[in-house]
Amino acid sequence: METTKILIGYAVYLPVALFLTFYVSKTLFKNSKVYMLDIFKGREEIAGATNKLFETGFYLLNIGFALLIMKITIHENNYRNLIEALSSKIGGFAIYLGIMLFINLYFFFRGKRKAKESLKPVPFQPA
């Protein structure tokens, strides 16, 4: 494949992958503050710090994966194949981001459930 077409592919893929990552992260972690405050019983400092750590890990995993799968290989030198390769890369990455979003939601809901369980009084059992 012609080098300029590969560079065009990278110039399209990388900004789209980064935009998707930042958009999903912004949406997820802006809305997860409520869950973190509930999990940590209103302690804003620890809830915010934990949320920021989750966000940093989310960025590292997703940007790292986007860079890992960035290689575009096409055997025929035409724009049709380039567009098909880009749609496959971007579509696959979007599916991966969706899966990561639901995994994070699972952890938030699980943390909320565990926090509620710790609030339940333990029934008295005579010795």
Side-chain angles (χ1 to χ4, degrees):
M1 181 168 175
E2 190 179 311
T3 303
T4 55
K5 286 190 180 110
I6 291 174
L7 293 176
I8 290 169
Y10 293 151
V12 170
Y13 169 77
L14 198 53
V16 170
L18 292 175
F19 170 77
L20 286 172
T21 300
F22 287 115
Y23 176 75
V24 171
S25 177
K26 181 181 174 188
T27 303
L28 175 64
F29 292 104
K30 181 180 85 171
N31 295 309
S32 67
K33 288 178 186 177
V34 174
Y35 294 102
M36 288 296 186
L37 285 170
D38 191 34
I39 291 168
F40 293 107
K41 299 167 185 65
R43 296 184 356 216
E44 285 192 42
E45 189 174 299
I46 194 157
T50 304
N51 198 39
K52 199 63 167 164
L53 289 171
F54 265 101
E55 184 179 11
T56 302
F58 187 84
Y59 281 129
L60 289 172
L61 282 172
N62 295 313
I63 292 173
F65 186 72
L67 293 172
L68 187 68
I69 67 166
M70 191 166 88
K71 184 177 180 181
I72 297 173
T73 51
I74 302 173
H75 300 294
E76 287 188 41
N77 185 11
N78 59 45
Y79 286 108
R80 182 182 141 234
N81 287 332
L82 175 61
I83 290 169
E84 289 172 358
L86 281 172
S87 68
S88 178
K89 290 273 185 201
I90 293 169
F93 185 67
I95 291 169
Y96 165 80
L97 273 177
I99 291 168
M100 291 302 291
L101 172 73
F102 285 116
I103 288 171
N104 275 287
L105 286 174
Y106 167 77
F107 284 128
F108 293 141
F109 288 131
R110 183 173 177 223
K112 187 174 178 175
R113 188 180 72 233
K114 291 284 185 184
K116 283 189 178 184
E117 285 175 5
S118 69
L119 293 176
K120 291 181 184 176
V122 177
F124 176 74
Q125 295 183 5

